[in-house]
Amino acid sequence: MDKDAASAGVQPIGGLFSTAEIKILICYILHTVNEPVPANLLTNTLHYEGIANAFEVSDSISLLEKSGHIAIADKNDDSYIITKSGSDVAKTLRDSLSYNVKQRACAAALKMLARFKNARDTDIKITHEEERTYITCSALDRGAPFLSIKLLVGDDTQALAIKEKFLNNAAEIYPAIIQMLTKTDEE
């Protein structure tokens, strides 16, 4: 295919340079993920993975919405879902994209989507009290905390590192704490 898309930030091998390919990939990801994906998450994921230029992804999302291949799911977080015609495109043209590109893009999108959900279902605050730095990480259920952990940390840098770990692993932290607190002495 001819290169008709901007190439800034795109890997020369394994990157997409055709607007048509970018649109097919977006349809393929939304079809595969099968849940609302925020546009900025999709744009950033494909850009940071070196798969497609961020501006081209953003333009392609807009074009796909106008053509009816994707639809806005939630205006608050600017998330999109695949439509029937978009799913048909994904199924019909998926083989026009390399296996490597599809796998990298979907894996990265799923990881970023999990992080998005974790961020939505957590509340993290960094505070300073009596010249000490604390981080409070809370897991939320319908907006209310059901688990909160407050840690004394060395500084803001350490607090930010803990924040990243909590956002990436929130779904694993809660069950681990519950298991530790509820196991019997015999276990």
Side-chain angles (χ1 to χ4, degrees):
M1 286 192 168
D2 293 336
K3 290 184 179 183
D4 62 348
S7 62
V10 182
Q11 293 179 358
I13 299 174
L16 300 180
F17 300 95
S18 160
T19 302
E21 288 178 325
I22 295 168
K23 291 186 333 188
I24 293 167
L25 181 61
I26 291 168
C27 287
Y28 179 78
I29 290 170
L30 291 176
H31 174 76
T32 303
V33 171
N34 199 28
E35 62 182 282
V37 177
N40 68 338
L41 184 143
L42 192 55
T43 301
N44 291 338
T45 298
L46 295 179
H47 178 74
Y48 292 132
E49 288 294 314
I51 295 171
N53 176 278
F55 297 111
E56 294 295 331
V57 174
S58 184
D59 287 346
S60 294
I61 290 170
S62 179
L63 291 169
L64 286 167
E65 182 184 13
K66 286 177 186 167
S67 67
H69 292 95
I70 64 175
I72 192 99
D74 185 344
K75 287 185 180 185
N76 292 331
D77 62 14
D78 193 32
S79 60
Y80 288 86
I81 55 171
I82 193 80
T83 63
K84 169 125 176 50
S85 64
S87 282
D88 292 343
V89 166
K91 291 176 200 170
T92 304
L93 299 175
R94 71 176 168 237
D95 292 334
S96 68
L97 299 171
S98 77
Y99 174 79
N100 185 28
V101 167
K102 290 185 292 192
Q103 289 304 107
R104 279 184 29 230
C106 283
L110 288 170
K111 183 177 178 181
M112 292 292 283
L113 191 57
R115 184 177 165 84
F116 171 75
K117 287 179 181 179
N118 285 345
R120 187 181 58 208
D121 296 337
T122 60
D123 181 39
I124 301 174
K125 291 183 174 84
I126 299 171
T127 57
H128 300 91
E129 303 167 21
E130 299 176 9
E131 297 183 29
R132 293 181 175 189
T133 304
Y134 292 91
I135 182 167
T136 304
C137 302
S138 300
L140 306 176
D141 181 24
R142 289 175 245 167
F146 66 89
L147 171 74
S148 292
I149 302 169
K150 184 175 183 178
L151 301 169
L152 171 65
V153 294
D155 57 18
D156 284 355
T157 303
Q158 189 177 21
L160 291 172
I162 290 170
K163 176 182 178 177
E164 291 302 310
K165 291 282 188 182
F166 191 80
L167 284 174
N168 289 332
N169 301 296
E172 298 167 16
I173 292 171
Y174 175 71
I177 290 172
I178 295 301
Q179 182 182 10
M180 280 182 41
L181 295 174
T182 58
K183 75 178 181 180
T184 62
D185 292 335
E186 292 121 25
E187 290 182 66

